[in-house]
PDB file of all heavy atoms in Angstrom:
ATOM      1  N   ALA A  43     118.492 104.289  73.571  1.00  0.00           N
ATOM      2  CA  ALA A  43     119.094 105.115  72.523  1.00  0.00           C
ATOM      3  C   ALA A  43     120.614 105.057  72.625  1.00  0.00           C
ATOM      4  O   ALA A  43     121.315 104.954  71.620  1.00  0.00           O
ATOM      5  CB  ALA A  43     118.610 106.558  72.647  1.00  0.00           C
ATOM      6  N   VAL A  44     121.119 105.111  73.855  1.00  0.00           N
ATOM      7  CA  VAL A  44     122.575 105.034  74.053  1.00  0.00           C
ATOM      8  C   VAL A  44     123.080 103.660  73.613  1.00  0.00           C
ATOM      9  O   VAL A  44     124.115 103.535  72.970  1.00  0.00           O
ATOM     10  CB  VAL A  44     122.937 105.280  75.532  1.00  0.00           C
ATOM     11  CG1 VAL A  44     124.422 105.082  75.750  1.00  0.00           C
ATOM     12  CG2 VAL A  44     122.524 106.658  75.943  1.00  0.00           C
ATOM     13  N   PHE A  45     122.347 102.606  73.991  1.00  0.00           N
ATOM     14  CA  PHE A  45     122.762 101.259  73.631  1.00  0.00           C
ATOM     15  C   PHE A  45     122.827 101.101  72.122  1.00  0.00           C
ATOM     16  O   PHE A  45     123.734 100.485  71.588  1.00  0.00           O
ATOM     17  CB  PHE A  45     121.798 100.220  74.193  1.00  0.00           C
ATOM     18  CG  PHE A  45     121.908 100.042  75.671  1.00  0.00           C
ATOM     19  CD1 PHE A  45     120.855  99.553  76.398  1.00  0.00           C
ATOM     20  CD2 PHE A  45     123.063 100.384  76.333  1.00  0.00           C
ATOM     21  CE1 PHE A  45     120.956  99.393  77.762  1.00  0.00           C
ATOM     22  CE2 PHE A  45     123.174 100.232  77.701  1.00  0.00           C
ATOM     23  CZ  PHE A  45     122.104  99.727  78.415  1.00  0.00           C
ATOM     24  N   SER A  46     121.814 101.641  71.422  1.00  0.00           N
ATOM     25  CA  SER A  46     121.777 101.456  69.977  1.00  0.00           C
ATOM     26  C   SER A  46     123.061 101.936  69.339  1.00  0.00           C
ATOM     27  O   SER A  46     123.585 101.316  68.439  1.00  0.00           O
ATOM     28  CB  SER A  46     120.629 102.242  69.350  1.00  0.00           C
ATOM     29  OG  SER A  46     119.518 102.189  70.164  1.00  0.00           O
ATOM     30  N   ALA A  47     123.566 103.073  69.841  1.00  0.00           N
ATOM     31  CA  ALA A  47     124.751 103.628  69.204  1.00  0.00           C
ATOM     32  C   ALA A  47     126.025 102.954  69.686  1.00  0.00           C
ATOM     33  O   ALA A  47     127.006 102.882  68.974  1.00  0.00           O
ATOM     34  CB  ALA A  47     124.814 105.129  69.483  1.00  0.00           C
ATOM     35  N   ASN A  48     126.018 102.445  70.921  1.00  0.00           N
ATOM     36  CA  ASN A  48     127.279 102.017  71.523  1.00  0.00           C
ATOM     37  C   ASN A  48     127.269 100.597  72.047  1.00  0.00           C
ATOM     38  O   ASN A  48     128.033 100.276  72.936  1.00  0.00           O
ATOM     39  CB  ASN A  48     127.588 102.912  72.746  1.00  0.00           C
ATOM     40  CG  ASN A  48     127.861 104.317  72.327  1.00  0.00           C
ATOM     41  OD1 ASN A  48     128.738 104.551  71.521  1.00  0.00           O
ATOM     42  ND2 ASN A  48     127.104 105.230  72.862  1.00  0.00           N
ATOM     43  N   ILE A  49     126.395  99.755  71.502  1.00  0.00           N
ATOM     44  CA  ILE A  49     126.184  98.455  72.152  1.00  0.00           C
ATOM     45  C   ILE A  49     127.468  97.641  72.282  1.00  0.00           C
ATOM     46  O   ILE A  49     127.740  97.050  73.326  1.00  0.00           O
ATOM     47  CB  ILE A  49     125.073  97.666  71.416  1.00  0.00           C
ATOM     48  CG1 ILE A  49     124.677  96.438  72.215  1.00  0.00           C
ATOM     49  CG2 ILE A  49     125.476  97.279  70.028  1.00  0.00           C
ATOM     50  CD1 ILE A  49     123.785  96.738  73.334  1.00  0.00           C
ATOM     51  N   ASP A  50     128.292  97.613  71.235  1.00  0.00           N
ATOM     52  CA  ASP A  50     129.526  96.819  71.303  1.00  0.00           C
ATOM     53  C   ASP A  50     130.425  97.334  72.401  1.00  0.00           C
ATOM     54  O   ASP A  50     130.969  96.563  73.188  1.00  0.00           O
ATOM     55  CB  ASP A  50     130.276  96.902  69.965  1.00  0.00           C
ATOM     56  CG  ASP A  50     129.653  95.994  68.930  1.00  0.00           C
ATOM     57  OD1 ASP A  50     129.334  94.847  69.286  1.00  0.00           O
ATOM     58  OD2 ASP A  50     129.480  96.422  67.783  1.00  0.00           O
ATOM     59  N   HIS A  51     130.568  98.652  72.454  1.00  0.00           N
ATOM     60  CA  HIS A  51     131.438  99.275  73.436  1.00  0.00           C
ATOM     61  C   HIS A  51     130.974  98.950  74.848  1.00  0.00           C
ATOM     62  O   HIS A  51     131.759  98.549  75.712  1.00  0.00           O
ATOM     63  CB  HIS A  51     131.420 100.799  73.204  1.00  0.00           C
ATOM     64  CG  HIS A  51     132.502 101.509  73.941  1.00  0.00           C
ATOM     65  ND1 HIS A  51     132.535 102.874  74.070  1.00  0.00           N
ATOM     66  CD2 HIS A  51     133.578 101.065  74.601  1.00  0.00           C
ATOM     67  CE1 HIS A  51     133.584 103.231  74.760  1.00  0.00           C
ATOM     68  NE2 HIS A  51     134.242 102.148  75.099  1.00  0.00           N
ATOM     69  N   ILE A  52     129.662  99.093  75.073  1.00  0.00           N
ATOM     70  CA  ILE A  52     129.142  98.869  76.420  1.00  0.00           C
ATOM     71  C   ILE A  52     129.293  97.408  76.824  1.00  0.00           C
ATOM     72  O   ILE A  52     129.640  97.104  77.964  1.00  0.00           O
ATOM     73  CB  ILE A  52     127.665  99.308  76.504  1.00  0.00           C
ATOM     74  CG1 ILE A  52     127.600 100.826  76.410  1.00  0.00           C
ATOM     75  CG2 ILE A  52     127.021  98.847  77.794  1.00  0.00           C
ATOM     76  CD1 ILE A  52     126.211 101.373  76.419  1.00  0.00           C
ATOM     77  N   MET A  53     129.048  96.493  75.881  1.00  0.00           N
ATOM     78  CA  MET A  53     129.190  95.079  76.229  1.00  0.00           C
ATOM     79  C   MET A  53     130.641  94.756  76.564  1.00  0.00           C
ATOM     80  O   MET A  53     130.915  94.005  77.505  1.00  0.00           O
ATOM     81  CB  MET A  53     128.694  94.202  75.088  1.00  0.00           C
ATOM     82  CG  MET A  53     127.188  94.116  75.073  1.00  0.00           C
ATOM     83  SD  MET A  53     126.534  92.748  74.103  1.00  0.00           S
ATOM     84  CE  MET A  53     126.744  93.393  72.494  1.00  0.00           C
ATOM     85  N   ASP A  54     131.560  95.360  75.809  1.00  0.00           N
ATOM     86  CA  ASP A  54     132.983  95.187  76.119  1.00  0.00           C
ATOM     87  C   ASP A  54     133.298  95.647  77.529  1.00  0.00           C
ATOM     88  O   ASP A  54     133.958  94.950  78.302  1.00  0.00           O
ATOM     89  CB  ASP A  54     133.832  96.038  75.162  1.00  0.00           C
ATOM     90  CG  ASP A  54     134.321  95.224  73.987  1.00  0.00           C
ATOM     91  OD1 ASP A  54     134.262  93.982  74.087  1.00  0.00           O
ATOM     92  OD2 ASP A  54     134.752  95.829  72.991  1.00  0.00           O
ATOM     93  N   ILE A  55     132.812  96.852  77.859  1.00  0.00           N
ATOM     94  CA  ILE A  55     133.089  97.419  79.176  1.00  0.00           C
ATOM     95  C   ILE A  55     132.542  96.508  80.265  1.00  0.00           C
ATOM     96  O   ILE A  55     133.221  96.195  81.249  1.00  0.00           O
ATOM     97  CB  ILE A  55     132.471  98.826  79.322  1.00  0.00           C
ATOM     98  CG1 ILE A  55     133.189  99.806  78.406  1.00  0.00           C
ATOM     99  CG2 ILE A  55     132.543  99.303  80.756  1.00  0.00           C
ATOM    100  CD1 ILE A  55     132.573 101.184  78.402  1.00  0.00           C
ATOM    101  N   GLU A  56     131.302  96.060  80.095  1.00  0.00           N
ATOM    102  CA  GLU A  56     130.689  95.193  81.114  1.00  0.00           C
ATOM    103  C   GLU A  56     131.470  93.908  81.282  1.00  0.00           C
ATOM    104  O   GLU A  56     131.715  93.450  82.396  1.00  0.00           O
ATOM    105  CB  GLU A  56     129.245  94.864  80.708  1.00  0.00           C
ATOM    106  CG  GLU A  56     128.290  96.008  80.886  1.00  0.00           C
ATOM    107  CD  GLU A  56     128.121  96.413  82.334  1.00  0.00           C
ATOM    108  OE1 GLU A  56     128.163  95.539  83.207  1.00  0.00           O
ATOM    109  OE2 GLU A  56     127.959  97.618  82.574  1.00  0.00           O
ATOM    110  N   ALA A  57     131.866  93.291  80.148  1.00  0.00           N
ATOM    111  CA  ALA A  57     132.604  92.030  80.213  1.00  0.00           C
ATOM    112  C   ALA A  57     133.936  92.243  80.935  1.00  0.00           C
ATOM    113  O   ALA A  57     134.321  91.450  81.794  1.00  0.00           O
ATOM    114  CB  ALA A  57     132.830  91.470  78.816  1.00  0.00           C
ATOM    115  N   ASP A  58     134.619  93.341  80.584  1.00  0.00           N
ATOM    116  CA  ASP A  58     135.910  93.611  81.224  1.00  0.00           C
ATOM    117  C   ASP A  58     135.752  93.856  82.718  1.00  0.00           C
ATOM    118  O   ASP A  58     136.539  93.371  83.535  1.00  0.00           O
ATOM    119  CB  ASP A  58     136.577  94.838  80.578  1.00  0.00           C
ATOM    120  CG  ASP A  58     137.200  94.501  79.244  1.00  0.00           C
ATOM    121  OD1 ASP A  58     137.378  93.301  78.971  1.00  0.00           O
ATOM    122  OD2 ASP A  58     137.498  95.430  78.465  1.00  0.00           O
ATOM    123  N   LEU A  59     134.721  94.614  83.093  1.00  0.00           N
ATOM    124  CA  LEU A  59     134.514  94.901  84.512  1.00  0.00           C
ATOM    125  C   LEU A  59     134.254  93.616  85.288  1.00  0.00           C
ATOM    126  O   LEU A  59     134.770  93.422  86.395  1.00  0.00           O
ATOM    127  CB  LEU A  59     133.352  95.885  84.696  1.00  0.00           C
ATOM    128  CG  LEU A  59     133.685  97.345  84.435  1.00  0.00           C
ATOM    129  CD1 LEU A  59     132.424  98.184  84.464  1.00  0.00           C
ATOM    130  CD2 LEU A  59     134.665  97.870  85.469  1.00  0.00           C
ATOM    131  N   LYS A  60     133.447  92.734  84.715  1.00  0.00           N
ATOM    132  CA  LYS A  60     133.163  91.466  85.373  1.00  0.00           C
ATOM    133  C   LYS A  60     134.444  90.662  85.539  1.00  0.00           C
ATOM    134  O   LYS A  60     134.717  90.094  86.603  1.00  0.00           O
ATOM    135  CB  LYS A  60     132.210  90.627  84.526  1.00  0.00           C
ATOM    136  CG  LYS A  60     130.797  90.497  84.990  1.00  0.00           C
ATOM    137  CD  LYS A  60     130.648  89.845  86.319  1.00  0.00           C
ATOM    138  CE  LYS A  60     129.311  90.242  86.786  1.00  0.00           C
ATOM    139  NZ  LYS A  60     128.674  90.440  87.730  1.00  0.00           N
ATOM    140  N   ALA A  61     135.228  90.581  84.462  1.00  0.00           N
ATOM    141  CA  ALA A  61     136.475  89.818  84.531  1.00  0.00           C
ATOM    142  C   ALA A  61     137.387  90.410  85.603  1.00  0.00           C
ATOM    143  O   ALA A  61     138.029  89.675  86.356  1.00  0.00           O
ATOM    144  CB  ALA A  61     137.163  89.817  83.173  1.00  0.00           C
ATOM    145  N   LEU A  62     137.433  91.753  85.682  1.00  0.00           N
ATOM    146  CA  LEU A  62     138.285  92.387  86.686  1.00  0.00           C
ATOM    147  C   LEU A  62     137.842  92.040  88.097  1.00  0.00           C
ATOM    148  O   LEU A  62     138.670  91.898  89.007  1.00  0.00           O
ATOM    149  CB  LEU A  62     138.297  93.908  86.502  1.00  0.00           C
ATOM    150  CG  LEU A  62     139.169  94.394  85.342  1.00  0.00           C
ATOM    151  CD1 LEU A  62     138.934  95.878  85.086  1.00  0.00           C
ATOM    152  CD2 LEU A  62     140.633  94.146  85.641  1.00  0.00           C
ATOM    153  N   GLU A  63     136.523  91.881  88.304  1.00  0.00           N
ATOM    154  CA  GLU A  63     136.030  91.424  89.614  1.00  0.00           C
ATOM    155  C   GLU A  63     136.677  90.094  89.960  1.00  0.00           C
ATOM    156  O   GLU A  63     137.125  89.872  91.083  1.00  0.00           O
ATOM    157  CB  GLU A  63     134.525  91.200  89.545  1.00  0.00           C
ATOM    158  CG  GLU A  63     133.683  92.362  90.010  1.00  0.00           C
ATOM    159  CD  GLU A  63     132.205  92.038  89.885  1.00  0.00           C
ATOM    160  OE1 GLU A  63     131.785  90.988  90.382  1.00  0.00           O
ATOM    161  OE2 GLU A  63     131.503  92.848  89.252  1.00  0.00           O
ATOM    162  N   GLY A  64     136.668  89.179  88.983  1.00  0.00           N
ATOM    163  CA  GLY A  64     137.264  87.863  89.201  1.00  0.00           C
ATOM    164  C   GLY A  64     138.754  87.972  89.472  1.00  0.00           C
ATOM    165  O   GLY A  64     139.294  87.330  90.379  1.00  0.00           O
ATOM    166  N   TYR A  65     139.427  88.822  88.674  1.00  0.00           N
ATOM    167  CA  TYR A  65     140.875  88.953  88.843  1.00  0.00           C
ATOM    168  C   TYR A  65     141.235  89.549  90.190  1.00  0.00           C
ATOM    169  O   TYR A  65     142.293  89.261  90.756  1.00  0.00           O
ATOM    170  CB  TYR A  65     141.476  89.786  87.714  1.00  0.00           C
ATOM    171  CG  TYR A  65     141.535  89.043  86.395  1.00  0.00           C
ATOM    172  CD1 TYR A  65     141.025  89.607  85.235  1.00  0.00           C
ATOM    173  CD2 TYR A  65     142.099  87.775  86.315  1.00  0.00           C
ATOM    174  CE1 TYR A  65     141.066  88.926  84.028  1.00  0.00           C
ATOM    175  CE2 TYR A  65     142.138  87.086  85.111  1.00  0.00           C
ATOM    176  CZ  TYR A  65     141.627  87.673  83.976  1.00  0.00           C
ATOM    177  OH  TYR A  65     141.662  86.991  82.792  1.00  0.00           O
TER     178      TYR A  65
END
Side-chain angles (χ1 to χ4, degrees):
Chain A
V44 175
F45 288 156
S46 321
N48 294 304
I49 190 79
D50 282 316
H51 193 192
I52 290 177
M53 281 197 283
D54 264 344
I55 292 175
E56 286 295 325
D58 283 344
L59 281 172
K60 253 298 160 208
L62 283 170
E63 265 179 52
Y65 286 129

